[in-house]
Amino acid sequence: MTSPRRSLRTVLRGGLGIAVAMGVMNVSTYGFTMIAARILGPRDYGALAGLMATLLVIGVLQLGLQATAARRISADPGHVGQIERSIMFLTYRAALGLGAVLLLLAPLLNLVLRLDSLPTAALVAVTAVPWTVMGGQAGILQGERRWLALSAVYLAVGVPRVVLGTVMMLWRSSEWSAMLAVTLAAFAPALVGWWALRQEREPGLVSDTHEVRGMVREAIHNSQALFAFFALSNADIVLARNVLDEHAAGLYAAGLILAKAVLFLPQFVVVVAFPSMSTVGQRRQALTRSLGLVLVMGVAATVGAAVLSAIALTIVGGPEYADVQTRLWVFAVLGTVLSMLQLLIYSVLARQGQKSTYLVWAAFAALVALALMVHTIDHLVGLVVAIDLGLLVVLTGLSYFRLSAVEPTETAGHTSGP
């Protein structure tokens, strides 16, 4: 069994490369957004933003497949050959199926997003195919703790998008050219993943546990759980548009830029810790250390937002949003809570808990119902923090209770309750 000290060193070493790669990915993605906003102008950029939001929702399938592959390989490394074949069999079919469905829905997407361009809407279907394939590939690399190859995949997500996007938009300033760049760039990480996994594995051990049918159920459950978190963590921006006036809603949206930055800052911790959280005997330690690291980073970000609020204001929008400057530390707290919640959601997926997802949906329902009664920024952000913090406390307690009750005979396919 790996010693706690060695395990921590492994997490930090692997986390450094992943942190750099994901940092570059996020900066590149943000850079693409900023460049698009400047080149395209409000009308075309609004259409592109709608397309990117659609891809974000579609991406939960990719994340579900990644979590499924990473968990199974980490929990049962003796069957890695079978798991890799099964997960890629499922991944390719899921990718093609999703692409086909989205192609059929392209006229509806064109209408809903008011694109006036059916080819642009169809590009979403094409993008979804390599994007989903990357999920299965990244999950295998994550489960095997092949951090260098996984870092290359993450770099390939962001850099080609900003480079191709800039070139394409300078060539032709339209949402079609920008979306075409996103589509072409989506093949880059899938190609990197294919190269990393190009060597065929020995057949190895075979188990009924890792048949495709079981993986389908797990991938659906994982995607649904991640979608629940996605809904909870993004509901407040929609609610703000409905319960606050336009100026206040804009201020709230600016504050959320900082909250999302704090949410994504320690995302590498989730990626590196997930294999350990999927391994019997390492779960409790991995969860404790990861929560502690995320909390420390969140506290540092919160203190920074309070002490250096002027700099933080520059990041979220500048002088036009000065009215939210004194509240930015609260949004940093929100981001910290969401980041810890995300880690706990992945801990639930790692032990294949089923019922905890219902709590996330319950928190989402409570937020929607109670937010309709508030009408100020302070009340809304306070409500969101309170609900998310309450969910965090409950899930933390449930997670440690379940981890303390796990039997050492637990198998890779076993479901561990809530």
Side-chain angles (χ1 to χ4, degrees):
M1 182 177 294
T2 305
S3 68
R5 185 173 298 177
R6 184 179 177 185
S7 176
L8 180 59
R9 284 201 305 268
T10 301
V11 169
L12 292 176
R13 194 184 308 118
L16 180 61
I18 294 294
V20 172
M22 296 189 78
V24 173
M25 178 184 71
N26 290 331
V27 169
S28 299
T29 302
Y30 182 77
F32 169 77
T33 302
M34 294 298 99
I35 293 171
R38 292 178 182 275
I39 295 179
L40 299 181
R43 181 186 177 278
D44 287 344
Y45 176 70
L48 178 64
L51 290 164
M52 300 307 294
T54 303
L55 287 175
L56 190 62
V57 175
I58 294 169
V60 297
L61 177 59
Q62 171 225 88
L63 295 175
L65 288 167
Q66 180 174 347
T68 300
R71 187 199 72 81
R72 286 179 175 258
I73 291 174
S74 300
D76 197 3
H79 291 82
V80 62
Q82 180 192 7
I83 295 170
E84 181 175 330
R85 288 192 302 275
S86 296
I87 198 67
M88 291 312 301
F89 179 89
L90 171 60
T91 296
Y92 284 124
R93 280 149 185 79
L96 293 173
L98 178 62
V101 170
L102 290 173
L103 192 60
L104 292 174
L105 294 176
L108 178 61
L109 184 64
N110 182 46
L111 179 65
V112 171
L113 296 181
R114 294 185 295 179
L115 299 174
D116 297 325
S117 172
L118 190 58
T120 302
L123 286 175
V124 173
V126 180
T127 307
V129 176
W131 196 244
T132 304
V133 168
M134 185 200 74
Q137 296 168 334
I140 294 170
L141 297 174
Q142 184 182 4
E144 295 180 0
R145 295 171 170 85
R146 295 172 59 184
W147 305 125
L148 182 60
L150 185 58
S151 296
V153 170
Y154 285 134
L155 287 173
V157 171
V159 176
R161 179 183 294 185
V162 70
V163 174
L164 281 174
T166 302
V167 172
M168 295 290 288
M169 286 185 290
L170 288 175
W171 166 63
R172 182 176 178 181
S173 176
S174 69
E175 76 273 13
W176 178 83
S177 60
M179 189 61 206
L180 179 60
V182 171
T183 301
L184 294 174
F187 286 90
L191 288 173
V192 172
W194 169 81
W195 178 261
L197 299 171
R198 68 191 184 281
Q199 294 183 346
E200 189 172 349
R201 290 189 172 278
E202 294 294 329
L205 300 175
V206 177
S207 169
D208 292 342
T209 302
H210 302 301
E211 290 183 348
V212 175
R213 183 177 300 178
M215 289 191 176
V216 171
R217 290 194 296 268
E218 182 174 339
I220 291 174
H221 166 68
N222 291 344
S223 299
Q224 182 264 143
L226 292 169
F227 183 73
F229 174 75
F230 171 84
L232 176 66
S233 59
N234 289 277
D236 53 342
I237 184 60
V238 178
L239 291 167
R241 297 289 298 177
N242 288 275
V243 301
L244 305 177
D245 61 57
E246 290 187 358
H247 178 68
L251 294 176
Y252 191 90
L256 282 182
I257 295 175
L258 181 61
K260 293 303 167 61
V262 177
L263 166 61
F264 291 120
L265 179 65
Q267 199 169 23
F268 71 93
V269 178
V270 178
V271 174
V272 177
F274 187 72
S276 296
M277 291 192 294
S278 302
T279 305
V280 178
Q282 298 181 21
R283 292 175 172 175
R284 188 183 185 93
Q285 173 187 295
L287 178 60
T288 301
R289 292 184 182 277
S290 301
L291 281 174
L293 183 56
V294 171
L295 179 60
V296 168
M297 296 176 69
V299 170
T302 301
V303 173
V307 176
L308 305 173
S309 60
I311 296 177
L313 181 65
T314 302
I315 295 173
V316 304
E320 293 182 60
Y321 300 90
D323 290 343
V324 81
Q325 180 174 343
T326 57
R327 303 180 178 97
L328 288 177
W329 69 271
V330 182
F331 285 95
V333 171
L334 174 59
T336 302
V337 174
L338 286 174
S339 186
M340 296 178 74
L341 264 178
Q342 183 183 45
L343 182 63
L344 282 167
I345 295 296
Y346 272 94
S347 175
V348 171
L349 298 185
R351 58 181 173 79
Q352 279 300 277
Q354 301 287 330
K355 298 177 182 177
S356 295
T357 306
Y358 302 148
L359 295 174
V360 183
W361 284 118
F364 170 77
L367 175 60
V368 172
L370 295 175
L372 298 177
M373 305 178 187
V374 302
H375 301 287
T376 68
I377 295 177
D378 292 332
H379 288 162
L380 180 58
V381 71
L383 174 66
V384 176
V385 170
I387 290 177
D388 290 348
L389 187 59
L391 178 62
L392 175 64
V393 171
V394 173
L395 281 184
T396 301
L398 276 176
S399 294
Y400 278 100
F401 173 77
R402 295 303 309 175
L403 288 175
S404 65
V406 168
E407 296 292 336
T409 56
E410 180 186 20
T411 63
H414 178 67
T415 298
S416 63

